[in-house]
Amino acid sequence: MKKSIIIIFTLFITLNVFAKSGKIVLKGQVQNHEVPTIVISRIDNKKVISAELDNDGKFSMSVKIDHGYYLLQYGRSSVSIYLYPKDNLSLVFDAKNFESTLVFDGEGSERNNYLIKKELLEVDLTKDLEAFYKVDETGYLKNITNVKSILIALLYESNVEGFFKEEEEKSIEYSRLLSIQNYKNSYKFYLGDEITPSKDFYRPIETLKLDNDEEYTRQPYYRYLVNSVWSKRIDAEPDVESMLAVLRKVKNQELAISLVNGFYSKISSKKERAKDYLDLIKRVTKHQPFIEAAEKRYQEVMNSKGLKEGDVSPEFSYESIDGQIVSLSDLKGKYIYIDVWATWCGPCIKQVPYLIQLEERYHDKNIVFVSISVDKEDVKPAWKQMIADKGLGGLQLFADKSFDSDFMNAYAVNSIPRFILLDPEGKIIDPEAPRPSFEKTKVLLDKLLN
């Protein structure tokens, strides 16, 4: 999850026309609404249509579309939907708990209710990070194949059209292949350890055709997969000239634009190669606002000295869930493990059970667990509800200006979840501490506290 400027080229791209197109109607009501707008976007995140909610949270929209997958977005929350001409849909959900309360009715509701169930089921099947990821290659392939089998079974239990079953079977398989592609990164992201999968492990991806323009336009997971493969190929090259040579092999204009837009985030995430990505942007586009934004981001990255071990931590004063103002200085005398998170952040939510385990493991030790939400102010009711629903413990605080809080800027927090560990004097032990799901976190805290 990135706090970044989203750069999108204003270009006209000729796309394949789907076999079916026509008008759809979507109306509904959002309970406990705070955000005033609901949006339908394409899978490339470009808006198709939006509607304003009235005082009762009701809305209505109608638009001509090509049939296929889209995103239904409300605030920072989004779900995949599949629209087909002449769909006449109504929906209702509680803004405090978007996905788990979202229900469709009307023409086209069966396939979209299936997609909601599928997404919730996938989260449940992968929530035990150690059981799912901390296995050998054979075990991991077995895990993701099991997920595929369960989702296919759910699909065929659902009363959906044959054309959708065909599309969705492909989507589920592309998702499985994406899991193979991302295994190494996911292992490090969730467990904190480096692994090196064998060449045979990646064979299913190597045999996949990456130049299917129609699938790239229509299938979200195929799109993510193709983007990832090409991005890694470019990143593997040692210099700008060879990176440019790989990019020139991309024939699909929409894919090329997506990759170039992604170079902006690489300036932040790969500091050691930031100059390469800035130079690459300058070589492939003359779009001056994009170049200026990339240059500004590069200077920010290069000028950032960053906080390090032994530095005195910057202060904060944030509101707690019970309305009290809590400052960092109030917590001196204890070790402090800080979790920076948000209600919309899926990877943050995956860490919750492991954070609760840490709190239980060290409940009688000299440490306080502090969770700081960087949600926007209008999401505060949802923040309080999630704390209650998930039984979150520790000290729950709400940042005053989301990512723009002074404390967040001092630590250069531009992605979450982020964990910070301080000593009893308020000095930094680790400005990017290991996550609760990492085994090394327990080893570190055992050493400090026992």
Side-chain angles (χ1 to χ4, degrees):
M1 300 292 174
K2 296 289 182 182
K3 169 205 172 191
S4 62
I5 302 170
I6 300 175
I7 309 292
I8 299 177
F9 293 149
T10 307
L11 296 176
F12 293 99
I13 302 170
T14 302
L15 301 176
N16 292 324
V17 179
F18 296 162
K20 302 283 186 179
S21 64
K23 184 183 287 188
I24 64 99
V25 174
L26 177 63
K27 57 187 177 181
Q29 183 171 22
V30 181
Q31 300 165 357
N32 298 306
H33 67 286
E34 298 285 345
V35 179
T37 308
I38 192 162
V39 180
I40 295 176
S41 299
R42 287 179 5 192
I43 62 173
D44 60 3
N45 285 307
K46 292 179 182 176
K47 186 173 75 171
V48 174
I49 190 173
S50 63
E52 296 295 316
L53 278 58
D54 66 16
N55 291 336
D56 296 323
K58 293 180 180 179
F59 71 92
S60 180
M61 62 175 79
S62 177
V63 65
K64 184 177 180 180
I65 54 95
D66 299 319
H67 79 90
Y69 292 97
Y70 291 84
L71 293 172
L72 179 70
Q73 299 172 310
Y74 179 75
R76 285 186 173 268
S77 300
S78 66
V79 292
S80 179
I81 58 176
Y82 193 101
L83 299 178
Y84 195 82
K86 298 185 180 179
D87 277 353
N88 195 332
L89 289 159
S90 62
L91 64 78
V92 63
F93 65 85
D94 189 330
K96 293 181 178 179
N97 209 341
F98 178 54
E99 287 184 22
S100 62
T101 60
L102 177 58
V103 178
F104 289 90
D105 194 13
E107 187 69 30
S109 61
E110 292 86 353
R111 77 180 90 93
N112 288 298
N113 284 328
Y114 153 80
L115 286 172
I116 300 300
K117 291 177 185 177
K118 171 193 168 185
E119 192 159 326
L120 294 172
L121 183 55
E122 281 186 290
V123 171
D124 187 61
L125 291 171
T126 61
K127 66 182 179 182
D128 189 335
L129 300 178
E130 291 202 351
F132 194 76
Y133 291 103
K134 201 169 187 177
V135 291
D136 60 18
E137 291 178 9
T138 302
Y140 181 69
L141 291 173
K142 182 178 179 181
N143 284 345
I144 61 175
T145 300
N146 181 56
V147 169
K148 176 182 175 179
S149 298
I150 293 172
L151 297 182
I152 291 290
L154 176 65
L155 174 63
Y156 276 81
E157 290 169 3
S158 304
N159 183 26
V160 296
E161 306 94 335
F163 71 83
F164 176 69
K165 286 182 180 178
E166 184 178 341
E167 288 288 285
E168 184 61 13
E169 280 194 71
K170 289 193 292 184
S171 178
I172 293 170
E173 172 59 9
Y174 289 141
S175 178
R176 187 186 75 89
L177 294 175
L178 183 64
S179 295
I180 293 174
Q181 170 75 359
N182 290 341
Y183 180 45
K184 181 177 180 178
N185 289 341
S186 296
Y187 200 100
K188 183 175 182 180
F189 186 82
Y190 290 122
L191 301 177
D193 296 325
E194 295 278 359
I195 58 169
T196 305
S198 67
K199 289 184 179 180
D200 285 344
F201 180 76
Y202 293 109
R203 198 171 301 281
I205 298 171
E206 292 171 356
T207 59
L208 178 71
K209 291 185 65 175
L210 300 177
D211 58 355
N212 190 325
D213 292 352
E214 184 176 358
E215 292 292 87
Y216 188 81
T217 302
R218 295 179 60 171
Q219 282 283 350
Y221 288 107
Y222 180 83
R223 186 186 191 91
Y224 305 150
L225 180 58
V226 170
N227 277 23
S228 177
V229 171
W230 279 105
S231 180
K232 286 187 177 182
R233 288 178 181 178
I234 293 168
D235 197 54
E237 297 299 324
D239 53 52
V240 174
E241 285 299 331
S242 53
M243 294 166 82
L244 185 58
V246 174
L247 181 62
R248 284 173 174 156
K249 294 178 182 178
V250 177
K251 303 302 181 184
N252 183 311
Q253 186 183 23
E254 189 178 2
L255 168 59
I257 292 170
S258 179
L259 291 169
V260 173
N261 278 319
F263 296 161
Y264 178 88
S265 63
K266 294 290 182 71
I267 293 173
S268 303
S269 62
K270 290 184 173 289
K271 187 174 182 178
E272 71 282 0
R273 300 208 65 188
K275 186 63 164 59
D276 286 345
Y277 279 105
L278 175 61
D279 290 345
L280 194 55
I281 286 171
K282 291 180 177 180
R283 293 285 295 275
V284 299
T285 180
K286 295 181 179 179
H287 190 67
Q288 200 58 35
F290 187 28
I291 293 173
E292 290 173 1
E295 288 176 334
K296 180 180 178 182
R297 187 64 191 130
Y298 174 75
Q299 290 302 324
E300 290 172 349
V301 169
M302 291 299 104
N303 294 335
S304 175
K305 296 180 180 178
L307 295 167
K308 60 185 183 302
E309 180 182 353
D311 289 346
V312 175
S313 174
E315 261 285 354
F316 64 69
S317 291
Y318 294 143
E319 183 182 347
S320 69
I321 193 168
D322 58 4
Q324 302 298 311
I325 299 299
V326 177
S327 299
L328 180 60
S329 56
D330 297 334
L331 308 176
K332 282 190 176 180
K334 293 179 177 289
Y335 287 96
I336 306 168
Y337 186 81
I338 299 173
D339 165 24
V340 183
W341 73 295
T343 57
W344 46 263
C345 169
C348 300
I349 306 306
K350 278 185 177 289
Q351 291 296 320
V352 166
Y354 299 91
L355 183 60
I356 291 173
Q357 288 175 15
L358 288 183
E359 293 169 353
E360 292 174 350
R361 182 184 178 98
Y362 301 108
H363 73 279
D364 59 347
K365 302 296 182 180
N366 189 40
I367 186 170
V368 58
F369 293 89
V370 180
S371 294
I372 302 176
S373 166
V374 289
D375 282 300
K376 296 291 187 181
E377 183 68 25
D378 58 9
V379 185
K380 189 177 283 187
W383 166 68
K384 292 182 178 180
Q385 188 65 46
M386 183 170 285
I387 290 171
D389 290 345
K390 294 191 175 295
L392 301 182
L395 184 57
Q396 298 291 330
L397 305 179
F398 198 89
D400 56 355
K401 290 179 284 188
S402 186
F403 279 103
D404 291 323
S405 297
D406 292 341
F407 184 78
M408 301 304 156
N409 286 328
Y411 276 95
V413 176
N414 55 26
S415 65
I416 54 176
R418 172 74 175 272
F419 299 89
I420 300 165
L421 183 60
L422 309 178
D423 72 11
E425 295 179 357
K427 293 182 179 179
I428 299 170
I429 295 176
D430 192 340
E432 295 193 45
R435 302 179 183 203
S437 60
F438 294 2
E439 185 63 31
K440 66 179 73 173
T441 305
K442 287 183 283 189
V443 174
L444 172 60
L445 294 182
D446 282 347
K447 182 178 179 181
L448 292 174
L449 299 170
N450 293 330

